Amino acid sequence: MRLTRPMLAPAALAAVLALTGCGADGDGADTVPATATGSLEHLAAEAECTPDMQTDADTIRQALCGKGDGKYVLATFSTDRGQREWINTAKDYGGYYLVGRKWVAVGHEDVVADLRGTLGGTLEQGVQHGGGSAGHSAGHGEHAGHSG
């Protein structure tokens, strides 16, 4: 079965929601190195992560990295356009994104801020949702009113 972007986005976004919650406090790293490049395995090695592969398709490769509260999703893309489309869709679900060329790491704000000190990249934030500690519901994906 060939995986397509519409099939991958919901699975990736569910992982984002599970890892990020509704927000966190924290500040970014003091020094930002040049943005890393390379394969998912290369980026994971730079971040000292043993990737747990979740998706291995032609257009996207995605793995879970880290442990406990330090977990994050690391994804690489075959094209810049595919990456930007994925990020734009994922941002509707909130979360924090560390973005490099053809790769993204998604996790808690403090996790991606720390990761930036290793991989470089640009920090982006998803749509902020209402407060409360009840978490996100399964039907949280209907955000037609949000725009980038």
Side-chain angles (χ1 to χ4, degrees):
M1 177 169 120
R2 181 170 179 191
L3 297 175
T4 63
R5 189 172 298 117
M7 291 169 54
L8 295 173
L13 295 175
V16 168
L17 292 175
L19 292 172
T20 62
C22 286
D25 293 325
D27 206 344
D30 294 334
T31 306
V32 179
T35 302
T37 60
S39 68
L40 187 138
E41 290 81 5
H42 175 78
L43 295 167
E46 289 285 322
E48 298 179 3
C49 156
T50 302
D52 178 9
M53 291 301 292
Q54 303 294 305
T55 304
D56 193 353
D58 292 339
T59 57
I60 182 175
R61 298 185 74 222
Q62 180 176 300
L64 295 177
C65 283
K67 296 178 182 167
D69 290 339
K71 282 186 181 177
Y72 59 95
V73 173
L74 181 61
T76 56
F77 303 85
S78 61
T79 66
D80 294 320
R81 180 179 175 181
Q83 174 192 23
R84 183 44 53 192
E85 288 173 354
W86 185 93
I87 292 169
N88 290 344
T89 300
K91 282 176 129 181
D92 282 346
Y93 293 84
Y96 296 89
Y97 303 80
L98 179 61
V99 180
R101 176 119 198 281
K102 294 185 184 179
W103 62 265
V104 64
V106 186
H108 286 285
E109 181 179 18
D110 56 339
V111 173
V112 295
D114 287 345
L115 193 57
R116 187 176 186 217
T118 302
L119 297 179
T122 304
L123 292 172
E124 296 186 24
Q125 184 174 353
V127 173
Q128 290 294 307
H129 296 284
S133 59
H136 295 283
S137 69
H140 205 65
E142 319 280 50
H143 292 293
H146 291 294
S147 61

